[in-house]
Amino acid sequence: MTTTRPPRILRTRWTPGPVPFSLCPVHVSVTEFTARGHAQAGAVALAGLRLRRTWHRTPGALGMWLWADLAGRRSGAVSVWADEVALKSFVTRPDHLDVVRAHRGRGELRATFWAAEDFDPDAVWARAHGLLRGTTPWPHPPVHLEEA
C-alpha cells in the first residue's frame, strides 16, 4: 500500500498592505499556478516576488502571503483585501496582467475567494492551506492559461 504524502507548502512572511490590520470584514483570494516544468515554476515564483515589492502601496490590500510547493511546481498567493473592488482592481492592474500574459500556455491556474466577517490571520491561512494541501476541494477546476 502506498501512502501519498501531503505537499510541503512553504510561505513567505506576512507582507502588509496600506490598509491597517484590524478586525473588519475582508475578502480573501487564494491563487495557485501549476507550471508545466520546474524552470517555468521558478519564473512564476520570481514574478510573484517582484509584485510583492509593490504591495505596501497596493490600494485596498491588507496584506498577503506568497506560497510555493516546489516538488509540485506550484506557487501562488493568499491575499487579503478591504473589499472585492480592491481585489478586482489588482487583478486588472497592468503589471499583474503582464505576469499572467507572460506565462499563458505554460500551466494551469486556480483561484477562489471568499468574504470573512473578521480578519483572523490564523483562520484565513488554515482555510487556504486546506486548499493548497488538497484536504479541502477547490470550488472550481483549474483553467489552462491559454483559455484565460
Side-chain angles (χ1 to χ4, degrees):
M1 176 164 74
T2 57
T3 57
T4 304
R5 292 166 64 207
R8 182 165 182 234
I9 306 297
L10 306 173
R11 74 172 175 173
T12 62
R13 286 190 206 129
W14 175 254
T15 302
V19 176
F21 174 85
S22 64
L23 290 177
C24 60
V26 296
H27 276 69
V28 178
S29 170
V30 180
T31 59
E32 172 194 73
F33 179 81
T34 303
R36 290 195 179 138
H38 285 286
Q40 189 65 37
V44 169
L46 185 58
L49 288 168
R50 286 188 189 116
L51 282 173
R52 187 176 78 153
R53 286 188 274 183
T54 67
W55 206 254
H56 67 281
R57 61 179 188 269
T58 299
L62 273 77
M64 56 97 82
W65 295 280
L66 292 178
W67 66 271
D69 164 17
L70 302 177
R73 301 177 326 275
R74 302 181 308 136
S75 64
V78 177
S79 55
V80 183
W81 302 89
D83 54 39
E84 190 175 351
V85 171
L87 168 58
K88 287 181 178 180
S89 291
F90 172 75
V91 169
T92 60
R93 208 170 78 176
D95 57 345
H96 181 262
L97 289 174
D98 288 346
V99 170
V100 172
R101 288 181 188 117
H103 300 287
R104 183 165 285 164
R106 297 179 179 164
E108 296 178 335
L109 178 70
R110 283 198 277 203
T112 190
F113 76 94
W114 66 85
E117 284 303 312
D118 291 316
F119 176 45
D120 175 350
D122 293 333
V124 165
W125 180 255
R127 184 169 173 183
H129 197 239
L131 292 167
L132 304 177
R133 290 190 66 185
T135 57
T136 303
W138 284 80
H140 309 287
V143 173
H144 297 275
L145 280 185
E146 50 271 0
E147 301 165 5

